[in-house]
Each structure stands twice: as structure tokens, then as C-alpha cells.
Amino acid sequence: VNQLTKKFGGFTAVNGISFEVKRGEIVGLIGPNGSGKSTTFNVLAGLYAPTAGTVTFDGQSVGGLPPYQMCQRRLARTFQIPRPFRSMTVLENLMVPLAYVCGISGHKAEEEAMRILTGMGLANKAQVLSGSLSQVELRKMELARAVAAKPKLLVSDEAMAGLAGAEIDEVLELLFELNKMGITIIMIEHIMHAVMKFSQRLVCLDAGKIICQGDPQTIISNPEV
């Protein structure tokens, strides 16, 4: 990300930020509400086109590409508020990205979806309508659906929001496993003990600008942070 700026009319939500994420890295994006974190994610994932600056992913300029093309390039995201296809089963939710991003359908897609759900601890929910899942199950399904797109980079927006202590640890463990599988992860998280435990490096935003970035211990000892 190089000198990225995103404006909405006269309001500058993100103001000339620059950072990079290396392949296989886990990076946490932190900052108060309104600091520009989700806007940055929305630009990375293609929901918004940048007003200025560039986004380069896997060696190619991608700023302004729509979300489906970003997904096809293997950048997947989860949302702060889970957005399942509520009229579909959990299994069918995963078969959507398998079909439309990876070109896998039929019995092979079912097998792959079940493999992912088993890894997420959701195999027993495969035939349940996604709208009936608990909060932690929805979070796991969001991650499973992102994994079904076979991402190189996972952009995770508050994957642990609304969860209790043991549930937070469950989701953290799943994220660690995804990283071990070779998925690079950028996460927004307000639960500080979770983001500190998980992230190798932190980028801290305030009022649309990066105020510091570095390893977790360096960041939390910074008076501005």
C-alpha cells in the first residue's frame, strides 16, 4: 500500500498511508473507531476505489478492481458483521466460492467444503441453515467461506467481535492454523490481548494516518498509541 488516500466528499477517511505485508506474515491493524481501518480494508478488498495512491498485490497493481476480481486473485475477506447466505445451508455457503472463484462444483465441491468445515469444527453443522448458527459458529463459517476461495491473503475484520473468552481463543487457534497453511493474514481487532497474541507486526492508525508500526511490544510502549 503506497500513499493510499480515500475521500468521501470533503471527508478524508484514509490520508496517505503506506505499509507492506510480506508473504506468510500476520499483521494487525489497530486504532480507535473512525481511524480508517475498515475503509482501508474496503479499498484492499475492492469495495472502494482509492482516491489516490496505489495498492499492489502479488506484484500487480490492483487499486480499483471490484471485489469479485480481488477474490479471483486470491484476496478473501471476512466482515465485521457476518453476512451468510441465510437461506442456504452451511455447506452450500462454502460451495458458492468454490464454484465461482475456484471453478469446483458437484461432488468434488461437496468433498472440499466438508474438508474445510471439518477443520473449522463445523462438520456437524453442514446441513443446517446458516441463519440459525450461533455467533461463534457464524464467525467460524465466515472464515471457512473465505478459506473456500483458496486465498493467498485473508483480510479479517474483527473476526472475534461479540465473542466470549473461550470463543476468542477458538477463533485465534483457527487463524493460527490458517497461517500455518500458508495464508497471509491482515486483521482488524479491538480485543487487544487477542491482536497482541496473534500479530507478528502491528500498524496503528489514528484519524486516517499511520502513527506507528512495528512489533507488538514496540507499539504498546508508544505513548501516542
Side-chain angles (χ1 to χ4, degrees):
V1 174
N2 187 35
Q3 293 297 310
L4 180 67
T5 296
K6 179 60 186 175
K7 296 183 178 183
F8 298 95
F11 175 68
T12 303
V14 176
N15 192 357
I17 69 170
S18 299
F19 66 93
E20 66 176 35
V21 180
K22 295 180 173 63
R23 191 183 304 273
E25 197 174 16
I26 302 170
V27 173
L29 197 61
I30 64 170
N33 288 330
S35 60
K37 303 184 302 299
S38 288
T39 299
T40 299
F41 267 25
N42 285 331
V43 173
L44 298 185
L47 191 63
Y48 302 148
T51 305
T54 59
V55 178
T56 305
F57 176 55
D58 207 17
Q60 296 182 309
S61 178
V62 294
L65 290 183
Y68 77 93
Q69 288 189 13
M70 291 305 299
C71 202
Q72 288 169 346
R73 288 169 186 254
R74 299 298 192 263
L75 185 152
R77 72 167 297 176
T78 64
F79 289 89
Q80 192 172 342
I81 300 171
R83 300 179 182 184
F85 299 115
R86 292 183 177 273
S87 63
M88 292 182 179
T89 64
V90 172
L91 183 73
E92 288 167 342
N93 264 266
L94 267 67
M95 289 176 71
V96 173
L98 284 168
Y100 288 96
V101 180
C102 305
I104 304 171
S105 58
H107 185 63
K108 189 175 180 183
E110 284 192 32
E111 286 184 343
E112 179 65 8
M114 282 305 303
R115 185 189 68 78
I116 295 168
L117 289 174
T118 300
M120 293 285 175
L122 289 176
N124 64 333
K125 299 288 183 178
Q127 300 303 329
V128 172
L129 287 178
S130 63
S132 66
L133 296 179
S134 69
Q135 186 63 226
V136 68
E137 288 167 348
L138 274 174
R139 295 290 176 185
K140 289 178 179 180
M141 197 199 75
E142 274 275 287
L143 286 173
R145 195 166 55 172
V147 170
K150 302 191 181 303
K152 297 176 182 178
L153 174 62
L154 172 64
V155 178
S156 175
D157 193 349
E158 294 200 50
M160 287 157 274
L163 302 184
E167 295 169 338
I168 291 168
D169 290 337
E170 278 184 65
V171 174
L172 270 181
E173 190 55 41
L174 290 173
L175 287 167
F176 273 123
E177 287 303 314
L178 296 182
N179 184 247
K180 287 177 188 174
M181 289 162 49
I183 300 174
T184 306
I185 300 174
I186 310 175
M187 69 183 300
I188 291 174
E189 192 50 68
H190 283 287
I191 302 169
M192 287 311 296
H193 78 266
V195 78
M196 292 288 293
K197 180 179 177 181
F198 184 68
S199 303
Q200 297 163 343
R201 190 162 54 86
L202 296 176
V203 176
C204 185
L205 285 170
D206 188 27
K209 293 184 177 182
I210 294 175
I211 58 174
C212 64
Q213 51 184 311
D215 66 84
Q217 288 304 319
T218 300
I219 295 296
I220 61 165
S221 62
N222 184 303
E224 279 191 273
V225 175

